[in-house]
Amino acid sequence: MANATSRGPRSPTVAQLRAFVAVAEHRHFREAAAATGTSQPALSGAVAALEESLGAQLVERTTRRVMITPLGERVLEHARRVLASLQALTEEVEAARRPFTGPLHLGVIPTVAPYLLPTVLRLVRHRYPELELHVHEERTPSLLEGLAAGRLDVLLLALPAGGSSPTRDVPLFDEDFVLVTPPDHELAGRADVARDVLLDLDVLLLEEGHCLRDQALDICREVGAEPGGSTTRAAGLSTLVQLVAGGLGVTLLPATALDVEAGRADRLAAVRFAAPAPGRRIGLATRPGSARSAEYDRFAASLREVLAELPVRIVQP
């Protein structure tokens, strides 16, 4: 390694960077080799060649596990960005040559996925049969991180997307929130309820990390209510409605989720707010300046067509 240092670092190859990232993610040469479809000696040789070319130790090898050196952790960040950029480059060139073909990694938030994906998947299957759609259901912070890193191509989530990295937001529709109560609740079945009824209700919330939790909190705070006094939390909307059916409180559901979730429990009633009802805007988020922006806009237009049959108000660009 001394000779490499005296000559100065050489540019690493893509194969070396991929090998190093795999080892760093698995912390084990055999597992990394299996994940990348290469032999363990070839993978180990690629990492050693990377260290030789850079003139620096990136990996500490022990009999049981692999540790990444402090410098290796910094190199790892650069390697991931380089590989993500390279993948984005090749995919965008292919997409420009042949739109709606090849892989498309779609990220979807959990409070949208179960209710919109059936419609989205039918659209892709019938209209874009050569598109290789990969769906990733994750919470908003993880989706935004994946978009910025190039792991995801486009997101389906509540707008504005927010996050620390800029996004290009493409609105699809607005939808109302519906208050869900037990059937014997005094508000059950009403359709003209003012928002300030939330002042006197125990509103159950999703656990932290869901954007719908933040939206519900904002709606309650607009009228001076502080929901969530109970320690009860739910990881998903399905659990929330079961808690309501069990008499533990009430909750807010997006209109697109009402039929699906109300069908899971027979002890539920829907309460509609007086206009203008609280709600949320759903749309796509992509990286600004993406070479696939025109393709994403066409995809958004197709989505507006098929989503119009749902209880939403389509937003035209």
Side-chain angles (χ1 to χ4, degrees):
M1 197 175 292
N3 290 337
T5 303
S6 62
R7 291 193 304 268
R10 300 189 303 272
S11 296
T13 67
V14 173
Q16 291 169 357
L17 293 179
R18 284 180 175 149
F20 174 56
V21 169
V23 169
E25 289 178 347
H26 292 273
R27 294 300 202 262
H28 197 285
F29 276 94
R30 186 177 67 251
E31 294 177 5
T36 56
T38 59
S39 67
Q40 185 172 336
L43 188 80
S44 179
V47 173
L50 176 62
E51 293 178 312
E52 178 74 17
S53 66
L54 295 178
Q57 184 178 4
L58 307 178
V59 174
E60 292 183 13
R61 299 160 176 83
T62 68
T63 55
R64 293 188 176 182
R65 62 190 298 260
V66 171
M67 294 186 292
I68 308 301
T69 67
L71 176 59
E73 294 287 355
R74 297 197 296 274
V75 171
L76 178 61
E77 295 179 11
H78 290 288
R80 283 174 169 155
R81 286 197 294 268
V82 169
L83 294 176
S85 296
L86 180 61
Q87 179 180 352
L89 183 151
T90 55
E91 289 181 359
E92 290 187 358
V93 169
E94 179 63 17
R97 284 197 317 111
R98 301 173 61 215
F100 299 106
T101 62
L104 179 70
H105 293 268
L106 173 68
V108 191
I109 56 175
T111 57
V112 162
Y115 321 113
L116 267 61
L117 275 182
T119 303
V120 174
L121 295 178
R122 281 195 301 271
L123 169 69
V124 172
R125 185 168 59 251
H126 294 151
R127 195 171 300 187
Y128 309 117
E130 294 186 65
L131 189 65
E132 300 172 20
L133 186 64
H134 303 270
V135 177
H136 307 258
E137 184 185 23
E138 302 170 22
R139 298 181 187 181
T140 300
S142 177
L143 291 180
L144 292 171
E145 181 181 311
L147 183 68
R151 177 173 60 86
L152 301 174
D153 300 311
V154 60
L155 311 180
L156 180 58
L157 75 177
L159 299 180
S164 57
S165 299
T167 59
R168 176 176 177 264
D169 295 349
V170 183
L172 295 175
F173 64 82
D174 293 330
E175 65 174 326
D176 294 340
F177 285 127
V178 179
L179 186 65
V180 178
T181 72
D184 56 354
H185 195 280
E186 61 180 351
L187 296 175
R190 289 182 54 181
D192 59 349
V193 172
R195 299 187 193 197
D196 59 11
V197 299
L198 297 173
L199 285 165
D200 301 319
L201 298 175
D202 186 6
V203 181
L204 303 177
L205 300 172
L206 292 171
E207 62 187 15
E208 293 186 9
H210 289 278
C211 61
L212 184 57
R213 170 189 170 86
D214 297 330
Q215 292 159 354
L217 284 170
D218 289 342
I219 293 167
C220 293
R221 287 167 180 163
E222 284 177 8
V223 296
E226 279 293 337
S230 168
T231 58
T232 301
R233 297 287 186 273
L237 293 182
S238 298
T239 303
L240 269 185
V241 298
Q242 294 297 334
L243 295 175
V244 173
L248 295 187
V250 302
T251 196
L252 291 165
L253 285 185
T256 51
L258 183 61
D259 286 346
V260 174
E261 297 303 340
R264 300 182 193 273
D266 57 5
R267 291 190 50 77
L268 291 174
V271 180
R272 308 277 179 173
F273 289 97
R280 65 178 181 175
R281 173 163 290 187
I282 299 298
L284 302 180
T286 67
R287 287 181 294 277
S290 169
R292 303 181 74 175
S293 292
E295 182 181 351
Y296 298 146
D297 287 343
R298 289 169 59 188
F299 186 50
S302 297
L303 284 173
R304 293 187 192 97
E305 290 179 22
V306 297
L307 294 173
E309 62 190 41
L310 299 179
V312 301
R313 297 179 299 280
I314 297 299
V315 177
Q316 298 297 336

